[in-house]
């Protein structure tokens, strides 16, 4: 067993884990944050994407013990209380999800995309940037639309637009 | 009232989305049970072998291990105790009987959940370890020693019946499940005898792995006090799973088994079927009296989820001199894998050959289908199921035939379209309504086919090859009229049920036997309620996927939830309104016949006396105004809807592709789809279904192909080796609709879930072959295939 302590969604967590435990297993099985999904065993689907120190990572590809002291954000921590994050709202508004299984990873990837590339994302850029995320349901068409709209809605001053709707 | 913005036809944002976008979906593997154990399956590394011995002793002694079971252990329980009988539990079944042309029944085979003496594909289930943690189960599985006596594997579809091949199942000659036919051989032979032209094609419809993003999972539970079983599972049809597990596998009586399919992350057919892991988890839960859970790894999903397609076909189209189709002849060998999966036998037969008339008036058709066993994963329904294979046959044939005759492929199609309805094809189906020309005309315009020559010139100037391909598809959906499918061999009826429970406060719970695993039923079904009862959409809740809540249902597949499931709901809503009229009549002291129901209000005609829907509901429950002998209290109605015909969605997809002849890479530049789904409940959701279907169809055409090597190893068993479509592989899709009402259900709906997957593959291949100028392209048309095809053109002698 190895001791591990980190911040997840703004809360300090700590405990002992089998050193082989992947971050995604720690999140899902120990912390019971099951919004982060596992859809492959070769690090290729992106269903498991979370943010580590603000950057998107595949949580199936890092050990929990490697995240010692890190700041982790999962899909459960993205909304501001009852208020959806603009990217979450954009996925709903543009029907960017069907079964929802790839969705947490898509949204976390998209938020990171905006952080790196800004608020005006063209379709080609978005499609290239989704290289590490698989969706079997949507054919990506509406995911691309969702991300473009979400990126714009995340721009400072874009608040109050219809995208920024309350979660309730 | 709200119906205009949330009723039928509105682009209502999905009610289920909130939990998914906030990470609060509840999929099977998200559920935790106190005291749970983890199952790990030891799978066969060999395609075909006899099991000489399995030594589980070391595994059983390993840390954390609760039990290790093999096929010899899985016996039936003595009903009144925890002891086991000597009798094996039942095997997995195939629920559709096909008869060969000589009248003999198909050759089924035993399909035990855990192999008894022989393994028949890589991934076949050899043993299960149940342990406190998954790691412990995995570690212990490595300690199981199995000695195998290797047998010759059979992996190739086309040669599985050949002399000298091993027998996948001992005693089943030529590995042949059935040799089936449909249509009129003599009439077809005559048509070919008088034909001026015959187009002949031989091709493979490539094997696919469905790969819903959520891998399968199961949690079996047993409550010894109540003698009650619960199975959480990734199912598209939990009631069918319960029926099979009860009646055939014999695990539990139906009333003592609750099957719950919670949020399910996509299915595409692969989660229709009952699988070994579900059987074993339930059985082990009873044996150990603790919950037993299992979740598939992706590699296991590649190895063991039922695959799709895998046909080898020779097809011929006979025409007269002016391009009128006279007849169609098809001979297909369909690979069903090592065992017959739940509905495997129906896919290459009644879901395939019945669609071989396409959108065309073809006087004579004869189809022969041989189904074969091989040492590969079972093959069953995958999005489209038989209909993509049929559409590929028809749409490749008409395209090539037109080219051979020197006719425009569009003109050739239009000349042969069915134009009057109902239209009886020579292969069972009666097309009820459609306007195929309207879809074609609209698609040509949307795709700007008029501008194609100029675009081809520009591509050529840039050293590229540009081609356009058409696919005028038809499918039979709304599966299915029970009497019809019964006469064709189905073991079940394919109606659907719905129950509407109105609560005293006026809000509404709808229980449906349909199951949503991405289709958005929680929204579309609520839209229908909203439209019909005039109630706000947020007062409606859709309940599905739990056999303890929903009485019975056949589930979701075959684009049936709208046409069949919502028709049942429509019928139940009619009954609610009828009862509401009675209640309102009593309360308003008017005769029932004078009560009008409009915009959510029951009104005495010609007066301003009225009762809102919620007030009526309250009156139904307090029942002060009528005595029980003349009107029962309460407000709950159910209905079963059995369709009278299949539905026939149809449309035209146009693919425009550009090839780089230097590298063999291709890029889809435009995709146009014009579909006739009849009436549409939520256009946003329908578009999403079409997008997803097209993506899977393009995947089949350009990227995806499951390959077994001659030793039976699946060499495409991960996302590294099996190319799933990614965002960068696909274009934006331009979608349009034409509408002809479906006459066989009250909503006029036809279904939209499979259209894209059915339409797309021939559109892509027709575009590629148009660009290349010859027909020698196989699916998946990877850059290597295209690169070779380009050389085939410049060096035809070398490649022939
Ligand atoms: S689970 Fe597939 S990339 Fe992490
Ligand atoms: S929405 Fe189902 S996998 Fe993306």
């Amino acid at each position: 067993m190895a001791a591990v302590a980190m911040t997840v969604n703004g809360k300090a967590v700590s405990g002992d884990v089998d050193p082989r435990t992947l971050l995604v297993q720690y999140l899902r099985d120990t912390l019971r944050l099951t919004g982060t999904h596992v859809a492959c065993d070769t690090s290729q689907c992106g269903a498991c994407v979370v943010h580590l120190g603000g950057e998107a990572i595949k949580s199936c590809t890092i050990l929990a013990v490697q995240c010692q002291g890190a700041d982790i954000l999962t899909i459960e921590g993205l909304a501001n209380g009852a208020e959806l994050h603009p990217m979450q709202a954009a996925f709903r508004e543009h029907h960017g999800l069907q079964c929802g299984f790839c969705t947490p990873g898509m949204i976390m990837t998209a938020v990171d995309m905006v952080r790196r590339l800004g608020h005006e994302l063209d379709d080609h850029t978005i499609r290239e940037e989704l290289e590490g995320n698989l969706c079997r349901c949507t054919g990506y068409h509406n995911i691309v639309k969702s991300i473009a709209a979400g990126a714009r809605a995340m721009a400072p001053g874009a608040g109050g637009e219809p995208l920024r709707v309350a979660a309730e | 009232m709200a119906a205009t913005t949330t009723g039928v036809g509105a682009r209502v944002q999905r009610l289920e989305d909130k939990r998914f976008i906030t990470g609060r979906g509840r999929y099977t593997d998200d559920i935790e049970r106190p005291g749970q154990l983890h199952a790990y399956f030891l799978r066969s590394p060999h395609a075909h072998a006899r099991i000489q011995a399995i030594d589980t002793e070391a595994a059983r002694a390993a840390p954390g291990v609760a039990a290790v079971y093999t096929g010899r252990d899985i016996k039936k329980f003595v009903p009144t105790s925890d002891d086991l009988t000597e009798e094996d539990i039942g095997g997995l079944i195939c629920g559709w009987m096909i008869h060969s042309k000589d009248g003999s029944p198909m050759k089924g085979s035993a399909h035990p959940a855990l192999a008894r003496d022989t393994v028949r594909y890589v991934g076949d289930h050899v043993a299960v370890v149940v342990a406190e943690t998954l790691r412990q189960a995995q570690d212990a599985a490595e300690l199981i020693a199995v000695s195998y006596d290797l047998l010759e594997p059979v992996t190739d579809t086309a040669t599985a019946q050949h002399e000298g091949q091993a027998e996948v199942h001992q005693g089943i000659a030529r590995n042949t499940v059935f040799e089936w036919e449909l249509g009129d051989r003599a009439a077809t032979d005559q048509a070919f005898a008088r034909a001026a032209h015959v187009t002949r094609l031989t091709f493979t419809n490539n094997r696919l792995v469905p790969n819903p993003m959520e891998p399968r999972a199961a949690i079996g539970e047993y409550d010894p006090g109540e003698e009650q079983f619960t199975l959480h599972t990734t199912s598209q049809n939990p009631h069918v799973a319960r029926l099979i597990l009860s009646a055939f596998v014999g695990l539990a009586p139906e009333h003592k088994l609750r099957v719950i399919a919670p949020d399910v992350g996509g299915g595409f057919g692969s989660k229709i079927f009952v699988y070994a892991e579900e059987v074993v988890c339930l059985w082990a839960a009873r044996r150990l009296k603790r919950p037993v859970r299992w979740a598939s790894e992706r590699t296991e999903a590649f190895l063991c989820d039922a695959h799709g397609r895998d046909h080898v076909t020779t097809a011929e189209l006979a025409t007269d001199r002016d391009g009128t189709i006279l007849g169609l002849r098809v001979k297909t060998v369909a690979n069903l894998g090592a065992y017959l999966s739940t509905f495997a036998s129906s896919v290459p037969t009644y879901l395939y050959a019945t669609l071989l008339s396409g959108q065309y008036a073809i006087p004579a058709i004869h189809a022969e289908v041989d189904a074969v066993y091989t040492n590969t994963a079972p093959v069953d329904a995958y999005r489209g199921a038989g209909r993509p294979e049929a559409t590929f046959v028809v749409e490749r044939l008409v395209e090539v035939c037109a080219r051979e005759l020197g006719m425009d492929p569009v003109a050739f199609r239009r000349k042969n379209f069915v134009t009057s309805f109902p239209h009886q094809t020579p292969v069972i189906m009666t097309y009820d309504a459609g306007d195929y020309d309207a879809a074609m005309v609209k698609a040509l315009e949307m795709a700007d086919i008029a501008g194609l020559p100029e675009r081809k010139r520009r591509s050529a100037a840039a050293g590229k090859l540009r081609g356009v391909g058409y696919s005028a598809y038809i499918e039979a959906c709304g599966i299915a009229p029970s009497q019809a499918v019964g006469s064709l061999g189905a073991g079940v009826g394919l109606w659907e049920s719905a129950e509407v429970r109105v609560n005293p406060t006026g809000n509404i719970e709808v229980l449906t036997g349909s199951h949503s695993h991405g289709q958005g039923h929680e929204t579309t079904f609520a839209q229908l309620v909203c439209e019909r009862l005039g109630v706000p959409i947020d007062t409606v809740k859709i309940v599905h996927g739990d056999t303890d809540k929903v009485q019975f249902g056949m589930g979701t597949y075959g684009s049936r939830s709208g046409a069949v499931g919502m028709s049942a709901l429509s019928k139940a809503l009619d009954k609610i309104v009828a009862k509401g009229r009675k209640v309102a009549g009593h309360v308003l002291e008017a005769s029932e016949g004078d009560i009008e129901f409009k915009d959510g209000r029951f009104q005495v005609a010609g007066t301003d006396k009225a009762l809102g829907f919620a007030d009526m509901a309250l009156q139904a429950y307090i029942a002060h105004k009528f005595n029980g002998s003349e009107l029962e209290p309460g407000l709950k109605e159910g209905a079963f809807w059995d369709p009278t015909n299949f539905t026939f969605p149809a449309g035209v997809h146009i693919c425009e592709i550009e090839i780089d002849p230097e590298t063999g890479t291709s890029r889809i530049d435009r995709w146009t789809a014009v579909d006739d789904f009849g009436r549409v409940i939520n256009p946003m959701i329908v578009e999403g279904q079409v997008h997803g279907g097209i993506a899977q169809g393009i995947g089949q055409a350009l990227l995806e192909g499951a390959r077994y090597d001659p030793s039976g190893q699946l060499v495409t068993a991960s996302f590294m080796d099996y190319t799933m479509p990614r965002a960068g592989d696909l274009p934006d899709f331009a979608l349009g609709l034409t509408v002809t009402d479906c006459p066989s259900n009250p909503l006029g709906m036809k279904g939209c879930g499979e259209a894209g997957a059915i339409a797309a593959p021939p559109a892509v291949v027709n575009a590629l072959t148009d660009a290349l100028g010859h027909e020698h392209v196989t699916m998946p048309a990877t850059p290597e295939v295209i690169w070779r095809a380009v050389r085939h053109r410049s060096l035809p002698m070398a490649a022939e």
Side-chain angles (χ1 to χ4, degrees):
Chain A
M1 285 293 179
V4 61
M6 63 183 93
T7 306
V8 177
N9 299 334
K11 260 176 47 193
V13 296
S14 61
D16 288 332
V17 297
D18 180 328
R20 296 179 292 182
T21 306
L22 299 167
L23 176 59
V24 69
Q25 293 167 331
Y26 183 64
L27 294 171
R28 286 181 56 83
D29 302 340
T30 306
L31 303 183
R32 299 295 300 146
L33 292 169
T34 55
T36 304
H37 296 152
V38 176
C40 77
D41 39 25
T42 51
S43 198
Q44 275 164 321
C45 72
C48 61
V49 170
V50 300
H51 292 179
L52 184 151
E55 289 179 28
I57 56 149
K58 288 180 170 172
S59 63
C60 72
T61 314
I62 188 167
L63 296 168
V65 292
Q66 289 175 280
C67 301
Q68 178 63 30
D71 192 0
I72 305 288
L73 182 70
T74 73
I75 188 73
E76 289 93 342
L78 191 62
N80 179 11
E83 190 187 351
L84 292 178
H85 185 279
M87 192 58 80
Q88 290 172 313
F91 268 71
R92 179 162 75 181
E93 176 154 327
H94 296 273
H95 190 31
L97 64 149
Q98 291 180 26
C99 78
F101 202 77
C102 71
T103 311
M106 287 285 178
I107 290 175
M108 298 310 282
T109 300
V111 171
D112 182 62
M113 204 185 298
V114 178
R115 179 189 64 80
R116 288 181 292 109
L117 303 171
H119 299 278
E120 290 303 323
L121 299 175
D122 61 57
D123 285 9
H124 180 75
T125 304
I126 295 171
R127 285 180 184 275
E128 293 295 311
E129 286 289 322
L130 286 178
E131 229 247 310
N133 292 72
L134 284 172
C135 173
R136 192 55 150 170
C137 296
T138 63
Y140 305 99
H141 183 107
N142 285 344
I143 290 180
V144 173
K145 304 280 170 271
S146 301
I147 294 175
R152 282 193 298 276
M154 281 169 66
E161 296 304 305
L163 278 175
R164 198 172 276 278
V165 292
E168 277 318 315
Chain B
M1 120 126 29
T4 47
T5 50
T6 54
V8 170
R11 304 177 76 89
V12 180
Q13 286 185 25
R14 297 202 321 172
L15 305 173
E16 49 270 79
D17 280 355
K18 186 187 159 194
R19 66 179 187 271
F20 297 128
I21 56 184
T22 56
R24 287 173 178 85
R26 192 164 179 265
Y27 302 88
T28 298
D29 196 43
D30 297 341
I31 294 165
E32 208 182 30
R33 281 287 176 253
Q36 65 187 11
L37 294 164
H38 297 258
Y40 183 79
F41 285 81
L42 181 72
R43 297 178 184 279
S44 171
H46 304 297
H48 198 190
R50 232 184 311 278
I51 299 172
Q52 285 176 328
I54 307 180
D55 182 353
T56 60
E57 205 180 308
R60 275 185 281 129
V65 171
V68 180
Y69 302 118
T70 71
R72 309 230 164 260
D73 300 315
I74 312 280
K75 305 286 185 194
K76 282 194 171 152
F77 285 90
V78 175
T80 50
S81 82
D82 293 337
D83 296 336
L84 296 177
T85 67
E86 282 303 299
E87 196 189 339
D88 291 322
I89 61 162
L92 300 170
I93 58 143
C94 177
W96 197 302
M97 173 52 74
I98 297 294
H99 286 87
S100 286
K101 43 197 162 195
D102 67 5
S104 62
M106 69 183 187
K107 308 270 187 304
S109 66
H111 187 183
L114 293 180
R116 299 232 171 85
D117 42 36
T118 307
V119 287
R120 292 191 173 83
Y121 64 101
V122 171
D124 205 350
H125 311 68
V126 175
V128 63
V129 182
V130 186
E132 296 293 334
T133 72
L134 181 57
R135 289 253 188 239
Q136 288 170 330
Q138 286 168 331
D139 290 346
E142 287 184 22
L143 303 175
I144 300 175
V146 189
S147 50
Y148 292 103
D149 189 4
L150 297 192
L151 302 168
E152 218 31 66
V154 182
T155 59
D156 179 46
T157 309
T159 57
Q161 295 173 298
H162 287 185
E163 193 84 29
Q165 289 279 21
E167 284 180 352
V168 175
H169 294 277
Q170 226 173 8
I172 297 185
R174 298 169 55 243
N175 292 314
T176 300
V177 185
F178 54 75
E179 291 169 295
W180 175 87
E181 67 177 339
L182 186 67
D184 187 333
R185 181 196 292 270
T188 307
D189 286 349
Q190 280 165 21
F192 275 80
R194 28 170 235 284
H197 182 84
V198 173
T199 294
R200 189 167 197 276
L201 292 174
T202 298
F203 45 76
T204 295
N205 201 290
N206 42 326
R207 180 187 267 250
L208 303 175
V209 183
N211 274 322
M213 291 316 292
E214 181 205 23
R216 288 191 297 115
I219 308 171
E221 290 175 80
Y222 179 67
D223 175 342
E226 303 284 341
E227 295 175 343
Q228 168 74 37
F229 292 78
T230 304
L231 176 68
H232 280 84
T233 185
T234 48
S235 175
Q236 301 177 214
N237 43 347
H239 289 88
V240 175
R242 183 180 65 159
L243 178 63
I244 291 174
L245 291 168
S246 294
F248 296 96
V249 183
L251 279 177
E254 214 173 351
H255 67 303
K256 293 284 192 183
L257 172 57
R258 177 182 188 185
V259 178
I260 302 172
D263 286 331
V264 173
F268 315 113
S270 69
K271 292 173 181 170
I272 297 171
F273 322 121
V274 175
Y275 288 92
E277 293 86 357
E278 293 160 328
V279 172
V280 172
C281 284
L282 258 186
W283 184 90
R286 159 108 204 240
R287 190 78 180 135
L288 298 168
K289 299 203 181 65
R290 288 174 66 180
V292 175
R293 67 184 300 132
W294 169 79
S296 174
E297 295 173 1
R298 181 56 58 185
T299 306
E300 291 181 288
F302 272 101
L303 294 176
C304 301
D305 287 7
H307 293 180
R309 320 284 191 254
D310 204 341
H311 286 192
V312 174
T313 294
T314 301
E316 297 168 287
L317 189 73
T319 60
D320 68 10
R321 214 167 302 281
D322 71 354
T324 301
I325 299 174
L326 302 175
L328 174 69
R329 190 150 56 197
V330 175
K331 169 88 212 211
T332 292
V333 181
N335 188 349
L336 297 184
Y339 302 97
L340 299 185
S341 171
T342 316
F343 288 109
S345 53
S346 66
V347 177
T349 52
Y350 291 109
L351 294 175
Y352 168 64
T354 53
L355 272 304
L356 285 171
S357 198
Q359 297 188 357
Y360 310 103
I362 304 182
I365 297 176
H366 185 245
E368 290 176 283
V369 179
D370 290 3
V372 297
Y373 284 116
T374 59
N375 294 111
T376 64
V379 179
D380 205 322
Y382 166 58
R383 201 172 196 167
R387 291 151 290 171
E389 296 92 313
T391 301
F392 194 78
V393 170
V394 175
E395 287 306 291
R396 283 292 291 140
L397 275 176
V398 296
E399 187 85 22
V400 176
C401 181
R403 290 171 184 169
E404 288 176 354
L405 291 170
M407 286 177 72
D408 169 37
V410 172
F412 181 88
R413 285 181 172 83
R414 296 178 73 174
K415 180 182 178 68
N416 287 288
F417 275 160
V418 169
T419 52
S420 72
F421 297 88
H423 172 83
Q424 177 64 53
T425 73
V427 278
I428 298 179
M429 292 300 178
T430 309
Y431 299 166
D432 51 7
D435 186 345
Y436 306 144
D437 215 47
M440 179 62 91
V441 169
K442 186 166 177 177
L444 291 172
E445 196 189 305
M446 282 174 58
D448 183 28
I449 290 302
L452 178 67
E454 175 53 27
R455 294 195 294 278
K456 279 195 171 185
R457 257 194 303 281
R458 262 187 286 155
S459 292
K464 304 279 173 60
L465 305 170
R466 183 175 286 261
V468 70
Y470 302 90
S471 174
Y473 74 94
I474 188 163
E475 43 174 337
C477 294
I479 290 174
S482 299
Q483 197 176 28
V485 294
S487 75
L488 303 179
V492 289
L494 288 169
W495 44 264
E496 195 46 86
S497 78
E499 185 177 314
V500 180
R501 297 180 186 168
V502 182
N503 295 322
T505 54
N507 54 35
I508 297 164
E509 291 156 88
V510 171
L511 294 89
T512 169
S514 298
H515 183 274
S516 180
H517 30 282
Q519 294 88 345
H521 296 168
E522 290 170 41
T523 307
T524 49
F525 281 55
Q527 283 180 255
L528 182 63
V529 175
C530 178
E531 170 91 14
R532 298 286 286 278
L533 301 184
V535 296
I537 199 162
D538 58 6
T539 63
V540 185
K541 179 167 107 181
I542 309 300
V543 178
H544 63 100
D546 183 342
T547 60
D548 260 15
K549 294 181 179 163
V550 179
Q551 188 239 327
F552 208 97
M554 298 309 298
T556 287
Y557 41 83
S559 304
R560 66 191 306 275
S561 297
V564 189
M566 289 181 81
S567 291
L569 174 56
S570 169
K571 209 172 149 186
L573 290 170
D574 286 345
K575 294 183 188 178
I576 290 284
V577 172
K579 172 87 182 268
R581 264 208 191 89
K582 286 199 173 78
V583 174
H586 278 82
V587 173
L588 300 172
E589 291 166 348
S591 92
E592 183 193 332
D594 289 339
I595 304 288
E596 288 172 348
F597 181 61
K598 219 178 127 223
D599 298 333
R601 287 168 69 77
F602 294 89
Q603 188 150 10
V604 183
T607 75
D608 56 1
K609 286 207 311 189
L611 199 60
F613 185 83
D615 292 332
M616 181 279 295
L618 184 63
Q619 292 294 336
Y621 280 92
I622 61 176
H624 293 168
K625 293 283 171 61
F626 45 94
N627 73 49
S629 66
E630 53 192 18
L631 186 59
E632 285 178 25
L635 194 52
K636 179 183 92 162
E637 298 289 349
F640 288 73
W641 169 261
D642 198 355
T644 53
N645 193 359
F646 292 85
T647 66
F648 297 95
V652 172
H653 287 219
I654 303 179
C655 169
E656 196 168 318
I657 204 163
E658 195 178 61
I659 293 172
D660 181 341
E662 294 306 314
T663 61
T665 51
S666 64
R667 182 181 66 86
I668 294 174
D669 186 39
R670 292 167 181 236
W671 194 281
T672 309
V674 176
D675 299 290
D676 178 357
F677 299 133
R679 296 278 152 195
V680 165
I681 303 285
N682 184 328
M684 178 190 83
I685 286 176
V686 167
E687 287 159 12
Q689 289 292 311
V690 177
H691 294 156
I694 296 171
Q696 289 180 8
I698 292 174
Q700 169 163 32
L702 294 179
L703 305 166
E704 300 178 43
R707 298 248 168 84
Y708 286 90
D709 73 9
S711 75
Q713 293 297 327
L714 180 63
V715 293
T716 52
S718 80
F719 289 149
M720 289 198 286
D721 312 296
Y722 183 96
T723 315
M724 294 276 281
R726 291 181 186 268
D729 299 319
L730 300 172
D732 270 9
F733 307 114
L735 307 189
L737 291 175
T738 57
V739 179
T740 58
D741 277 1
C742 176
S744 69
N745 64 61
L747 304 170
M749 294 174 69
K750 300 184 182 184
C752 65
E754 296 163 291
I758 291 169
V764 175
V765 174
N766 287 339
L768 287 170
T769 51
D770 180 48
L772 290 164
H774 66 73
E775 308 300 337
H776 302 271
V777 175
T778 54
M779 295 194 294
T782 59
E784 185 195 344
V785 168
I786 295 173
W787 188 87
R788 287 184 191 283
V790 172
R791 269 91 206 139
H792 167 103
R793 186 178 68 153
S794 54
L795 295 167
M797 297 305 288
E800 283 299 358

